[in-house]
Amino acid sequence: NRAAAMAYNYNTGTQVWKEALDLDGTVIDYSYYDEGKKIVLATESKRGVNRLNLVDMEAGKFLLKDDFKIDGDLLAVQMTPAGVMYFTTTELNILNPATGKDAWNKSLKFKEPGMGKYKAGKLYIYADGNFYRFDPQ
């Protein structure tokens, strides 16, 4: 119920970081940002706890002091200009990478999960039998 993340040089196959990063759970989704210099890792444990963390790909270090716990099962994670959009079976919010906290005071809550996609600066969601489109900022 634990995993590790490691970076390797694509051309040479050599290890980039001195040591692997320990993850609590297995990686279920990810999203690169900042021109590939950083990555959002989403993990899920056997206990059903889902988490997000940000990794500096050059330094091989976590950017958040503690993993960010999310409610529900993760459906999508995507970096947006406002932060890390996460959409689960119960909620939607944006994680502010600078603070490690939700960007919105209250998550959008759902009774019936659906699907979500971030494209061309807009977030498109189908949940609770309705289709939503909005600007995450």
Side-chain angles (χ1 to χ4, degrees):
N1 199 33
R2 296 198 62 85
M6 175 53 76
Y8 293 90
N9 181 294
Y10 180 79
N11 294 320
T12 66
T14 58
Q15 194 170 301
V16 175
W17 305 336
K18 290 183 181 182
E19 56 187 45
L21 297 177
D22 287 328
L23 304 171
D24 189 6
T26 56
V27 176
I28 56 173
D29 205 353
Y30 63 92
S31 179
Y32 288 98
Y33 69 103
D34 196 13
E35 299 176 6
K37 295 177 186 169
K38 297 177 184 159
I39 188 171
V40 178
L41 291 178
T43 60
E44 178 181 42
S45 72
K46 285 186 179 179
R47 296 180 307 276
V49 178
N50 296 296
R51 296 177 169 89
L52 299 175
N53 209 320
L54 312 176
V55 175
D56 180 324
M57 294 296 292
E58 294 172 339
K61 302 282 183 198
F62 287 115
L63 297 173
L64 300 179
K65 181 180 174 186
D66 297 311
D67 289 342
F68 182 79
K69 292 181 184 176
I70 55 177
D71 293 332
D73 295 328
L74 187 69
L75 299 174
V77 61
Q78 177 73 47
M79 180 54 76
T80 73
V84 182
M85 181 272 310
Y86 62 91
F87 179 42
T88 73
T89 52
T90 60
E91 70 175 327
L92 169 79
N93 207 324
I94 294 179
L95 168 65
N96 180 326
T99 65
K101 298 181 181 188
D102 281 327
W104 305 334
N105 291 334
K106 285 188 164 191
S107 293
L108 296 177
K109 297 289 186 176
F110 303 103
K111 292 179 183 174
E112 294 180 31
M115 57 179 26
K117 183 72 176 169
Y118 177 76
K119 186 171 181 169
K122 300 286 186 236
L123 184 59
Y124 299 88
I125 295 175
Y126 179 80
D128 291 341
N130 295 302
F131 180 73
Y132 304 92
R133 179 187 64 137
F134 65 99
D135 183 336
Q137 297 215 45

